[in-house]
Amino acid sequence: MQNNPSFSERYGYQKEPKPIAIRHEAPLRLRKAILDIATEAGFKAKDIRSILCRKLREIENGENWSDDPVMKECLSLISGCEWVEVYEICEVLAQEKNIPLVWKNSFEKGLNKFFVEEGIGWKIENGLIFTRGEEDFEKVMSIAKDRLEKTNRMTAKSALEEATKDLSRRPEPATIGAIHNSIAALECVAKEITQEPTKTLGKIINKLNLPRPIDVVVEKIWGFASNQGRHITEGKKPDFAEAELTVHLSAALISYLC
């Protein structure tokens, strides 16, 4: 396990983050990195193999005893599984009960660093994989949740968190749910501000005293969400980019209203 910070960590040098280009796949480079990061965090080779075999319902090769052949076995296991299982393996490693917390924290830190540097659209928090947006998306979501919590709007905060979970669904994101829940969070805040608990967002926009053309933007988002998140049409499912944009805009508007 690496006890001391690396050269780049000591002097504040960082790789330039790559734009997110990988989400619904798990390239070999990532699969190999997961094993390396786990080892650097403190995981023993046999521990990793045991976790992989348990997750993938495979049988350990009893002829492999030393670290090198065991790690080759691990690489073979993780290289041959479905992409969804790769991210599930990350969760299992981070949730392993018999592993010290410091190892798991180091594993998550290293994995998140790799995700950012390699343009992988996921992050791991407290043992669970969630979708990761670009830096501005992550910042807007964090601010919105923080302001909702500070103003004790926990119902809206819960809806916004559900929208994030919907974007994180595997193997396919729940785009309809993400749109529905993000707009529900925005509507919840708007209802409380206007003291109109029985009316929809579309009917109380003019009472929010929003500057133009932001009021028009909210009206258009509401219309889009009604079509894509509520009054859906067979064969017309919103794509990930549309859902992510709706969640992003909703979070920004929630922060403004709070």
Side-chain angles (χ1 to χ4, degrees):
M1 179 172 61
Q2 182 178 327
N3 294 315
N4 299 314
S6 65
F7 172 83
S8 58
E9 290 173 329
R10 293 199 307 275
Y11 295 104
Y13 296 117
Q14 295 181 347
K15 286 184 180 179
E16 190 69 24
K18 293 182 181 179
I20 292 175
I22 299 169
R23 202 182 297 272
H24 300 123
E25 57 182 310
L28 181 59
R29 179 175 170 81
L30 167 62
R31 298 172 190 237
K32 175 64 165 59
I34 291 168
L35 302 181
D36 291 340
I37 293 168
T39 302
E40 291 166 3
F43 287 73
K44 306 303 181 185
K46 290 180 181 178
D47 293 333
I48 297 173
R49 180 177 65 177
S50 176
I51 291 168
L52 288 176
C53 287
R54 188 172 71 242
K55 170 61 186 171
L56 300 175
R57 301 293 190 266
E58 295 287 350
I59 300 173
E60 296 182 15
N61 186 341
E63 296 181 359
N64 292 334
W65 289 95
S66 59
D67 287 352
D68 284 345
V70 168
M71 289 308 296
K72 287 180 181 178
E73 183 182 346
C74 290
L75 182 58
S76 176
L77 288 167
I78 201 170
S79 297
C81 64
E82 296 292 330
W83 75 265
V84 174
E85 293 177 309
V86 173
Y87 295 101
E88 290 175 348
I89 286 168
C90 293
E91 292 181 329
V92 175
L93 284 165
Q95 295 172 18
E96 178 61 32
K97 294 179 180 179
N98 297 322
I99 299 299
L101 181 60
V102 65
W103 293 7
K104 291 187 278 190
N105 290 340
S106 180
F107 173 69
E108 289 196 358
K109 181 181 177 182
L111 195 58
N112 281 328
K113 183 173 182 288
F114 186 83
F115 285 160
V116 171
E117 291 177 349
E118 297 300 317
I120 298 172
W122 299 101
K123 61 184 176 181
I124 186 165
E125 296 177 350
N126 299 318
L128 294 175
I129 294 282
F130 294 99
T131 189
R132 180 180 70 84
E134 299 291 359
E135 184 177 355
D136 58 338
F137 175 87
E138 293 295 318
K139 184 175 181 180
V140 167
M141 293 299 294
S142 177
I143 291 172
K145 291 176 184 178
D146 182 63
R147 289 183 179 172
L148 286 170
E149 186 166 345
K150 286 182 177 178
T151 56
N152 199 31
R153 295 181 168 106
M154 303 310 293
T155 301
K157 181 173 181 283
S158 177
L160 193 60
E161 289 173 338
E162 284 301 315
T164 303
K165 291 178 183 178
D166 288 329
L167 291 177
S168 304
R169 303 286 183 215
R170 303 186 298 272
E172 291 292 334
T175 53
I176 293 173
I179 291 172
H180 175 78
N181 282 313
S182 62
I183 293 298
L186 176 59
E187 184 178 62
C188 184
V189 173
K191 283 181 176 181
E192 196 220 7
I193 289 173
T194 61
Q195 296 298 299
E196 295 280 6
T198 62
K199 293 184 178 180
T200 64
L201 177 61
K203 295 188 181 298
I204 57 177
I205 292 173
N206 62 338
K207 294 186 177 182
L208 292 171
N209 297 318
L210 294 167
R212 297 187 67 83
I214 295 177
D215 57 343
V216 179
V217 172
V218 176
E219 182 182 359
K220 297 299 183 183
I221 294 172
W222 166 251
F224 173 77
S226 294
N227 290 330
Q228 300 294 334
R230 294 168 60 210
H231 310 304
I232 60 176
T233 302
E234 181 61 43
K236 293 185 178 180
K237 180 182 178 182
D239 62 27
F240 183 88
E242 293 171 337
E244 185 180 46
L245 176 62
T246 305
V247 174
H248 192 166
L249 289 172
S250 296
L253 289 165
I254 285 168
S255 294
Y256 176 81
L257 290 174
C258 285

